[in-house]
Amino acid sequence: MAALFGRRMRRGAASTAVAAAAMAALSASGAPSAGNERPAAAASDRPAAGAPGSEDPSVSGDSPYYTELPPLKGPGRNDPPDETPATGSAESGIPATVLDAYRKAEASLAASNPRCRVPWELLAAIGKVESGHARGGRLDSNGTTPSPILGPVLNGVGFANISDTDGGAYDGDTLHDRAVGPMQFIPQTWESWGRDGNGDGRRDPNNIYDAALAAGSYLCAHDRDLTVERDLHQAILGYNRSQEYLRTVLRWYDHYREGAHEVPDGSQPSPPAPGGNTPSPDPVRPGRPGTPSPSPTTPGKPDKPGKPTEPGDGGSSKPTPPPTTPPPTTPPPTTPPTTPAPATGLVDLGEGTLSAPAGERFADRPAVRAERAGQKPAAKAKVSFTVAGKTGTTFEDGTTTAVVTTGSDGVAKAPALLAGGTPGALTVKATLLDAPEPVSLALRGEVTAARADKLVRTDETELTCEAGATFEGRIALTATRGGQAAPGVAATATVLTGADPADGEKAAGEGPYFLTPGEEPAEERRTRELALTTDDKGRLVLPELHTDDTAGTFRLRVETTGGAVLVLELTVTEAG
């Protein structure tokens, strides 16, 4: 099946004027404008509408798209008033991973932005015209294209003129931007709208899950409801400011709404692309300006010579000469992509020492920024994080080493850390891999004492005793954190004077007391303040409580690290 290719219009003074006129026409029809209102004027093929505004680049920088149309049984429900004939045959199959990404983006947006009501069929229509569903579903196991899908260089020659905004991190070009990925985002738009659709902690325009969610988020901008036709049209025009593009997307949208089915990844032929528009050996983008498209012919029906006519009817007895094909024009020069300079340094992005109580997750993740010469962020650099120390701390998956690739901002964040059970110092070593020279950075951390947020008494010991005797039984408590047993938590048990907190929080000088272990006489081992630690099930069992000859009411206050407090009333009666 041969694909036809469309070319978006040049952006210059002339097309700006046309776009302004079309914007007014769109506004006059009742569609909300993303930019300022303009006076009414004649309609155009380039209405400047969409997110974020008509003065900003469209999602793809108005680079080429596939113009192949599906066959229609009748005019589409969403079709704008134009009867462009359908061309070519259509395939309703969508590669399995690509279809899964469209549907998951729809579900995610239904939860986060229910007003928008973006349908997966609309994402499929845009994905079809932008990249042929990621070149027929040629993706790895994570949904990422094995080589970047790149649009032409946006240098103003046949397309928009957009100077480099990403240092070549996404598109490999440090002079001009290029549309990137299955949904064809230009880098500056991706920086604002990129999403993490597969939960791997990265926003990658070359990943179909990330790109589909980002496209849906972009379409939902300005509080749109995509079940409203004018909002739907405006959203699509924000992707490409062309009525022909709008018609093409809507045709595919209606086609997929009538029915679509899943096909295996890579089972469809990769759409052809004339010219060398990409550094990838796999041609990925159509519509090279200046490349003629052959006129369709009917097989088996050669052109007939002109028929002789009767004299006086104004005809000619000479045969009609066959049409000539204009010579191909020379494609405009493109700037060869350059490889960004490698990263040469690391900067710690943390604010002080990483810290967490034993057994808990660290609130902050180790983070560094990779930089190349001139302190510029280095994208797609690999950074290894390794946890060292005797605290038992690991990453959440139980490993002590993780490799992370930096984003376009040069930042790499390690997975979350889980503090071990032993308080103490630790180090997370960040190492820049594949650097010209070894580069490492030591990030300091510590595991503090475990903590509890609640204490519960679990024994039934009577807390009344005669003076000079020993309380019957031993007091038992359980410490918990978040409803779970809290092992290894430090606690202090203190005997206080009086039943009222106004009596003070200092240890009593008389009344009930504990005995510390040892061989010294009992008088020397008396204490009314005792340090304890919960066992592996979060339990505290206090030593026996003895009394001296002082009768009265006392308090036993037990407090743990983390602020859990329990106060029990002790009664000492006169000796009988």
Side-chain angles (χ1 to χ4, degrees):
M1 176 173 60
L4 300 179
F5 308 112
R7 181 171 62 86
R8 294 167 171 113
M9 298 178 65
R10 299 172 185 266
R11 299 190 67 176
S15 62
T16 302
V18 174
M23 182 65 181
L26 188 65
S27 299
S29 70
S33 170
N36 297 326
E37 295 292 331
R38 301 181 187 270
S44 162
D45 187 53
R46 279 184 64 130
S54 59
E55 71 281 1
D56 296 313
S58 61
V59 172
S60 59
D62 290 351
S63 55
Y65 60 93
Y66 291 93
T67 61
E68 179 190 14
L69 295 173
L72 291 181
K73 298 178 181 178
R77 179 183 62 82
N78 293 303
D79 230 9
D82 180 81
E83 292 304 322
T84 303
T87 60
S89 60
E91 165 65 74
S92 296
I94 300 176
T97 299
V98 180
L99 181 58
D100 183 57
Y102 295 150
R103 286 174 169 163
K104 285 184 176 176
E106 176 192 57
S108 176
L109 289 165
S112 64
N113 190 355
R115 170 181 166 78
C116 180
R117 291 182 281 193
V118 58
W120 71 260
E121 294 92 341
L122 178 59
L123 297 175
I126 292 175
K128 174 68 175 179
V129 301
E130 289 295 339
S131 69
H133 296 314
R135 297 181 291 192
R138 283 160 175 76
L139 303 162
D140 64 17
S141 59
N142 296 318
T144 303
T145 60
S147 60
I149 299 177
L150 299 176
V153 177
L154 299 177
N155 57 6
V157 181
F159 310 108
N161 186 1
I162 304 178
S163 297
D164 174 61
T165 61
D166 66 332
Y170 290 125
D171 54 19
D173 193 327
T174 58
L175 295 179
H176 294 89
D177 273 348
R178 306 174 72 168
V180 181
M183 303 303 276
Q184 288 292 278
F185 276 84
I186 56 175
Q188 61 179 301
T189 308
W190 181 259
E191 282 302 306
S192 299
W193 293 94
R195 298 291 186 267
D196 177 12
N198 62 354
D200 65 355
R202 297 184 58 210
R203 300 180 306 151
D204 184 357
N206 296 299
N207 181 277
I208 186 60
Y209 290 97
D210 294 359
L213 183 58
S217 301
Y218 190 98
L219 294 170
C220 289
H222 303 305
D223 201 28
R224 293 192 181 106
D225 178 354
L226 297 184
T227 62
V228 176
E229 186 172 272
R230 65 182 182 183
D231 281 7
L232 173 67
H233 287 196
Q234 190 182 34
I236 297 170
L237 288 166
Y239 227 98
N240 181 290
R241 300 186 180 99
S242 163
Q243 285 286 359
E244 180 61 31
Y245 180 85
L246 174 63
R247 286 191 289 271
T248 304
V249 170
L250 289 177
R251 290 283 178 87
W252 281 107
Y253 176 36
D254 283 328
H255 183 72
Y256 289 135
R257 283 166 61 87
E258 291 175 2
H261 62 277
E262 176 183 304
V263 298
D265 291 345
S267 62
Q268 297 173 320
S270 180
N277 290 336
T278 169
S280 168
D282 191 4
V284 295
R285 291 294 289 170
R288 180 78 175 191
T291 303
S293 297
S295 301
T297 60
T298 303
K301 294 185 178 180
D303 293 335
K304 297 181 179 180
K307 179 182 178 181
T309 59
E310 295 296 328
D313 67 358
S316 170
S317 60
K318 296 182 179 180
T320 303
T324 59
T325 301
T329 58
T330 303
T334 59
T335 302
T338 58
T339 302
T344 56
L346 289 174
V347 177
D348 182 3
L349 298 183
E351 298 179 358
T353 300
L354 297 161
S355 179
E360 297 188 38
R361 179 188 297 180
F362 282 70
D364 298 320
R365 291 161 56 187
V368 296
R369 183 176 65 249
E371 294 183 343
R372 59 179 191 261
Q375 297 184 330
K376 294 182 179 180
K380 298 185 178 180
K382 293 188 181 298
V383 179
S384 170
F385 293 92
T386 302
V387 184
K390 298 181 179 180
T391 63
T393 299
T394 66
F395 293 116
E396 275 192 312
D397 62 359
T399 63
T400 56
T401 299
V403 177
V404 179
T405 302
T406 62
S408 60
D409 55 2
V411 174
K413 282 189 175 182
L417 288 168
L418 184 62
T422 305
L426 62 92
T427 300
V428 179
K429 184 179 179 181
T431 303
L432 185 59
L433 304 178
D434 303 326
E437 296 181 3
V439 177
S440 295
L441 196 62
L443 313 180
R444 304 297 179 186
E446 66 175 349
V447 174
T448 58
R451 60 183 181 177
D453 54 28
K454 189 175 183 180
L455 273 174
V456 178
R457 186 180 173 195
T458 56
D459 72 287
E460 297 180 356
T461 299
E462 179 67 36
L463 299 183
T464 300
C465 181
E466 285 189 359
T470 299
F471 283 83
E472 182 178 350
R474 297 171 65 180
I475 298 172
L477 311 173
T478 297
T480 59
R481 179 180 62 252
Q484 302 294 320
V489 177
T492 302
T494 308
V495 177
L496 307 173
T497 302
D500 191 338
D503 294 333
E505 298 298 320
K506 291 184 178 181
E510 56 186 7
Y513 61 86
F514 300 105
L515 288 176
T516 61
E519 297 181 359
E520 297 83 359
E523 289 289 334
E524 297 178 12
R525 293 188 286 116
R526 290 185 182 184
T527 182
R528 294 182 173 88
E529 188 168 9
L530 197 64
L532 304 163
T533 303
T534 60
D535 64 14
D536 58 356
K537 295 184 178 179
R539 297 175 301 192
L540 280 175
V541 179
L542 276 61
E544 288 183 327
L545 262 174
H546 308 278
T547 66
D548 58 14
D549 296 333
T550 306
T553 301
F554 301 86
R555 286 172 293 143
L556 175 63
R557 185 176 190 273
V558 183
E559 180 177 7
T560 71
T561 303
V565 177
L566 182 66
V567 178
L568 304 175
E569 186 174 295
L570 305 176
T571 302
V572 179
T573 61
E574 297 286 348

